[in-house]
Amino acid sequence: MRWSKAFSKTGLLALMLAVVGSGIFFYERQYCGAEQPARYEPQQLRQVITADSKTSRTIMWQTQAPESDAWVEYKLQGENELHRVWAQGKEFATDSGTVYQQSVTLTALEPGTVYEYRAGGGKEFSAWQTLKTDTGGAFTALIFGDSQSLDYNVWRKTAAYAYSHDPEAAFFINMGDLVDNGEQYSQWRSWFRGVSGLLPQIPVAPISGNHENYSLQWKPYRGDLYLNLFDLPLNGPEGLQKQAYSYDYGDVHFSVIDTQQEELNEWQPELIASQVSWLERDLAASDNKWKIVLVHRNLFRYQDGRPNELGSALLPVIDRGNVDVVFFCS
């Protein structure tokens, strides 16, 4: 594993590197301290990055059966007034059976504010969790390389160690190859268990790696499970939403590129070309002080004095876009 990093400015950025819809309805009511104890148990409860973390956050979880009345309630920390947003349900097939999933994107949040939220269904609800919006100032983030494994206890220990040494981390990035086989749902369950101490508290900003794009037969595949499990910003190039996307945190603009051209060539032969034009526009549209590009595969591997195909396509755009840092994993 290799990391490329370069800081050309001083500023507010501090990064901690750990190597290793429709139907939305709002309502308000007073919270009663005498409510019954939490009984609702959302599975794989997680926060997911949004394009603007100052004012929004996505909450997702799995349920054991379809639910038509799932919701998220949230309130200012220490306050009583509740807001409820109904979830959007989705189900999809896996090798372990059908998965029932709920998703809510909270909007109109206040920057630099601490909220509490809980998931629920019907009249039952989960325990309260903490949600902190972006202050627009300095922050730290955890960045993990490949978490794929035959024993995800290593991933659990790595993530727990990193978070315990930086409990103020605002979010975490997983640089691709989250799991060993992207279509084996049991591995995703293990991945989620490994970060169960982080995901309810801070959002994940994942990147697709080549292992997310393998079928159960270890053949190239579309990466359906990865795309289903993370409701990422839909601001990427047409037809590649959630594969490529961008987001802001503090005074930093992050651009995520899908580099899996070998695995996705059958379905997306213009994968890199489409992202080159999008990345040019995405970088030009940002006036943030810092710009970071996140890719899974190495853009800087040279052959006969020339960059590889990915580097030849993307590095000129990165240079013109005044990108400060490029992170890659392999």
Side-chain angles (χ1 to χ4, degrees):
M1 181 187 303
R2 297 174 57 193
W3 296 96
S4 174
K5 53 182 178 179
F7 293 95
S8 60
K9 306 172 185 175
T10 60
L12 299 175
L13 176 65
L15 291 177
M16 175 181 176
L17 305 183
V19 180
V20 235
S22 63
I24 295 179
F25 170 72
F26 292 88
Y27 91 115
E28 300 181 2
R29 65 179 172 87
Q30 293 297 309
Y31 170 63
C32 174
E35 284 184 337
Q36 295 299 312
R39 293 184 295 176
Y40 190 80
E41 296 184 1
Q43 301 169 12
Q44 300 168 12
L45 181 66
R46 55 202 182 271
Q47 296 187 39
V48 179
I49 201 76
T50 53
D52 179 10
S53 291
K54 292 187 183 76
T55 61
S56 62
R57 187 66 49 83
T58 294
I59 310 295
M60 302 180 69
W61 69 99
Q62 262 74 270
T63 56
Q64 293 183 341
E67 292 189 8
S68 59
D69 57 355
W71 44 262
V72 165
E73 285 184 337
Y74 68 99
K75 63 187 179 76
L76 293 172
Q77 189 176 55
E79 299 292 333
N80 292 329
E81 189 174 57
L82 291 178
H83 307 266
R84 177 179 288 188
V85 184
W86 298 105
Q88 295 183 358
K90 178 180 182 179
E91 59 183 74
F92 49 90
T94 76
D95 64 312
S96 298
T98 301
V99 169
Y100 305 100
Q101 184 166 272
Q102 305 293 333
S103 181
V104 169
T105 297
L106 305 178
T107 59
L109 302 176
E110 292 293 327
T113 303
V114 180
Y115 291 90
E116 294 176 316
Y117 77 93
R118 62 186 182 186
K123 296 181 179 180
E124 296 186 345
F125 47 84
S126 70
W128 289 105
Q129 303 289 347
T130 302
L131 185 160
K132 299 178 181 180
T133 54
D134 178 13
T135 66
F139 68 92
T140 62
L142 302 176
I143 304 183
F144 297 100
D146 301 33
S147 51
Q148 64 180 91
S149 182
L150 297 177
D151 179 5
Y152 285 87
N153 282 321
V154 175
W155 166 234
R156 176 182 58 79
K157 293 176 182 177
T158 300
Y161 179 86
Y163 193 38
S164 70
H165 282 69
D166 191 1
E168 296 303 314
F171 64 97
F172 75 94
I173 298 169
N174 209 153
M175 293 291 299
D177 288 356
L178 284 70
V179 296
D180 194 43
N181 186 292
E183 290 303 303
Q184 189 172 31
Y185 187 63
S186 61
Q187 293 201 31
W188 285 108
R189 286 197 298 263
S190 297
W191 183 88
F192 279 113
R193 281 195 297 269
V195 279
S196 59
L198 284 72
L199 278 174
Q201 308 297 325
I202 61 174
V204 59
I207 301 169
S208 178
N210 52 299
H211 280 258
E212 274 68 69
N213 291 282
Y214 291 145
S215 70
L216 294 172
Q217 292 74 39
W218 293 99
K219 303 293 184 182
Y221 196 59
R222 298 183 304 251
D224 290 348
L225 263 182
Y226 169 84
L227 296 175
N228 279 324
L229 289 169
F230 300 103
D231 284 348
L232 296 163
L234 299 176
N235 54 6
E238 185 69 28
L240 299 177
Q241 285 89 355
K242 299 202 294 186
Q243 293 174 244
Y245 64 97
S246 63
Y247 58 96
D248 293 329
Y249 211 102
D251 204 10
V252 187
H253 182 71
F254 295 87
S255 303
V256 175
I257 297 294
D258 187 333
T259 56
Q260 313 325 308
Q261 57 180 359
E262 296 178 17
E263 289 76 20
L264 293 171
N265 186 62
E266 178 180 345
W267 300 275
Q268 297 170 335
E270 301 300 319
L271 177 71
I272 301 303
S274 297
Q275 292 178 99
V276 164
S277 56
W278 170 79
L279 182 61
E280 187 108 47
R281 297 190 304 272
D282 181 68
L283 294 173
S286 174
D287 59 2
N288 284 20
K289 185 173 183 178
W290 295 85
K291 295 179 182 179
I292 293 180
V293 170
L294 300 157
V295 297
H296 178 66
R297 282 192 162 127
N298 188 353
L299 305 182
F300 298 93
R301 184 178 292 118
Y302 281 71
Q303 299 168 341
D304 299 324
R306 298 173 59 84
N308 59 28
E309 185 177 351
L310 288 171
S312 296
L314 292 167
L315 287 177
V317 179
I318 288 170
D319 288 338
R320 290 194 297 271
N322 297 313
V323 171
D324 299 286
V325 186
V326 176
F327 285 113
F328 64 87
C329 206
S330 60

